[in-house]
Amino acid sequence: MNTDKQSRGENREAHVTVSHSVRQDRFKTSSFEVIWEEKVNTAQYIPLLQIKSLNYVKKFRRLMENYTYNSPTLQLEGLNVSKDSTYPVFLFLFFSYLFIIVANVGIAFIVFIDKTLHQPMYLLFWNLSVNDILGNSIMVPRLLTDMLRPPSERIITYYECVFQAFTTHMFSTTAHTVLMIMAFDRYVAICNPLRYAAIMTNKMLIKLTVSAWGVAFVLVGILLGLTIRLNRCRTLIRSLYCNNAGLFKLSCESVFINNVYGLTFTVVLFSGSIGSMVLTYTKITVVCLTSKNKSLNSKALKTCSTHLVVYLIMLLSGMSIITLHRFPQLAESRKFATILYHIIPGSLNPIIYGMQSKEIRRFLSKLFDSKKVLSLF
């Protein structure tokens, strides 16, 4: 009897000795540590769970019930609005998206078919319209459909989520890089007008366009590459749509590298973007102040003010989202700021450039005049 009691006491205090092979995986949570020991045998597979503090057993079970290891499907939190506000918000987003598509497709089509608009400034702006179309088409339709579903049915596959995250980050990054090369075009046009045609050749346009999209592709590719290497133990993405932060927060592993690269990515992008704008417009301002050519100053004011307004709208919209990330209690406000980041620049870009451009206004007036003539018949 004493021998049996002694052996049972030893079994309670000591680790289980495994005769064949033992594999240990450590799962660390914020309040406790679990050691999972698995005994592998040709005849049996016995998982043995030893918890350091018995007070956390129930908490551990509840936690593990919510964890799903590398689930192929994820759940989006989406936009949480009251039933009374669902349809007004839905209609606002729907008509905003419709306007963005019609306006940007119209501008892109006009630039494409009108040979008088085959100039560097308009061809570079064409990239911005294409970017607005792609960025909004990935995010807004999905958001609209999720608004009409209950939260439990807002399901998305993991690979679809990764693709959505990649395209949304490409959208925001390319907006910066395209506006940067547009600033370079304005600098050459105003500061070196006599050499403009020699510098801004078709070859240079291709280089600038490829660099704008290529740099964004590489930066975002690394960003998402660091995230998809992580194993996932959660399935709920607390965001309107899939993004890098929402994806790596699904992991129970260390995301230190992701945070470091994400911060570096943001600092480099915003520093390069803001720095190039400040440098470009400082030199343009110096040229305009020292020049007595009124026509040059008038042209610089029109083209640069248009570009600067578009850039500031995009920059302030993006900065508001980054600022609201620091305040978790303002999660819903951040969601609305994210929606405005997509809708406002995409809606205003074609209006601002369309109203400021004589060539685009002339093309539209000819188009409507021809429609009036056809309607008479």
Side-chain angles (χ1 to χ4, degrees):
M1 291 291 291
N2 292 333
T3 305
D4 292 339
K5 289 182 181 179
Q6 184 177 0
S7 62
R8 282 198 296 269
E10 290 175 354
N11 285 338
R12 278 195 295 266
E13 295 175 0
H15 290 286
V16 176
T17 303
V18 180
S19 59
H20 295 281
S21 62
V22 176
R23 187 176 61 195
Q24 291 189 347
D25 294 323
R26 290 182 177 268
F27 296 92
K28 292 185 178 180
T29 65
S30 58
S31 57
F32 63 97
E33 180 181 2
V34 175
I35 301 176
W36 184 280
E37 296 183 348
E38 291 178 354
K39 179 179 177 182
V40 181
N41 198 297
T42 56
Q44 59 182 348
Y45 180 79
I46 307 174
L48 301 172
L49 185 64
Q50 177 191 12
I51 303 176
K52 284 189 173 179
S53 177
L54 295 178
N55 295 329
Y56 294 108
V57 172
K58 292 182 180 179
K59 185 182 289 186
F60 169 76
R61 286 176 179 173
R62 288 197 303 268
L63 185 66
M64 295 305 292
E65 285 174 359
N66 296 327
Y67 281 13
T68 306
Y69 194 72
N70 287 341
S71 173
T73 57
L74 306 174
Q75 182 181 354
L76 284 169
E77 187 177 50
L79 189 63
N80 299 318
V81 294
S82 63
K83 290 184 178 180
D84 295 334
S85 303
T86 298
Y87 287 104
V89 173
F90 179 89
L91 292 174
F92 168 74
L93 292 175
F94 175 76
F95 285 111
S96 297
Y97 173 68
L98 192 63
F99 176 79
I100 290 169
I101 296 301
V102 171
N104 283 283
V105 168
I107 292 292
F109 179 73
I110 290 170
V111 173
F112 183 76
I113 66 170
D114 190 354
K115 292 183 179 180
T116 61
L117 295 176
H118 290 182
Q119 304 173 28
M121 183 177 71
Y122 297 110
L123 292 174
L124 293 176
F125 176 66
W126 185 85
N127 287 277
L128 199 60
S129 294
V130 171
N131 187 51
D132 285 332
I133 294 168
L134 294 176
N136 284 280
S137 295
I138 293 297
M139 192 274 285
V140 179
R142 173 79 199 196
L143 178 61
L144 291 174
T145 55
D146 282 345
M147 285 185 65
L148 302 178
R149 296 172 179 168
S152 60
E153 295 181 8
R154 296 170 184 173
I155 305 299
I156 186 172
T157 65
Y158 175 70
Y159 293 107
E160 184 184 353
C161 189
V162 170
F163 177 74
Q164 189 184 63
F166 180 82
T167 50
T168 51
H169 284 288
M170 273 290 294
F171 160 75
S172 57
T173 306
T174 306
H176 281 273
T177 55
V178 168
L179 287 169
M180 288 166 67
I181 62 176
M182 289 176 72
F184 173 76
D185 171 71
R186 292 300 84 207
Y187 165 75
V188 176
I190 295 168
C191 298
N192 294 286
L194 299 178
R195 299 186 59 224
Y196 182 75
I199 296 174
M200 297 303 294
T201 59
N202 291 335
K203 189 176 181 180
M204 176 60 74
L205 281 176
I206 293 172
K207 286 182 179 180
L208 291 174
T209 302
V210 170
S211 64
W213 290 87
V215 168
F217 184 87
V218 171
L219 291 175
V220 175
I222 297 173
L223 186 73
L224 268 298
L226 291 172
T227 298
I228 61 177
R229 69 186 173 85
L230 300 171
N231 291 312
R232 306 178 305 282
C233 59
R234 303 178 184 91
T235 59
L236 178 62
I237 295 180
R238 300 186 179 278
S239 180
L240 286 174
Y241 55 87
C242 295
N243 53 35
N244 181 62
L247 279 172
F248 73 65
K249 286 179 182 178
L250 299 177
S251 177
C252 293
E253 300 176 8
S254 173
V255 293
F256 177 75
I257 297 176
N258 299 72
N259 286 321
V260 170
Y261 181 79
L263 181 62
T264 305
F265 174 89
T266 305
V267 170
V268 169
L269 181 63
F270 275 84
S271 299
S273 177
I274 296 172
S276 64
M277 293 297 164
V278 171
L279 181 63
T280 299
Y281 281 101
T282 299
K283 291 188 175 183
I284 290 174
T285 303
V286 171
V287 170
C288 291
L289 291 175
T290 56
S291 175
K292 297 180 180 180
N293 190 337
K294 293 183 178 180
S295 61
L296 175 65
N297 293 342
S298 177
K299 181 181 177 182
L301 180 63
K302 284 184 179 180
T303 58
C304 292
S305 61
T306 302
H307 178 262
L308 193 58
V309 167
V310 169
Y311 177 76
L312 289 175
I313 291 171
M314 183 270 300
L315 182 66
L316 293 175
S317 301
M319 290 294 289
S320 64
I321 299 173
I322 295 174
T323 303
L324 289 172
H325 262 292
R326 307 303 174 198
F327 303 96
Q329 67 274 18
L330 300 176
E332 293 302 316
S333 299
R334 186 176 72 248
K335 290 180 181 179
F336 282 102
T338 304
I339 293 173
L340 295 178
Y341 174 72
H342 283 77
I343 289 177
I344 292 178
S347 301
L348 294 182
N349 289 349
I351 295 175
I352 294 171
Y353 271 94
M355 294 299 101
Q356 286 289 335
S357 171
K358 290 182 180 179
E359 290 82 358
I360 293 177
R361 291 203 307 267
R362 190 182 301 117
F363 180 90
L364 291 174
S365 63
K366 287 181 181 179
L367 183 64
F368 285 115
D369 288 341
S370 63
K371 284 187 176 181
K372 287 180 181 179
V373 173
L374 290 174
S375 64
L376 295 176
F377 293 98

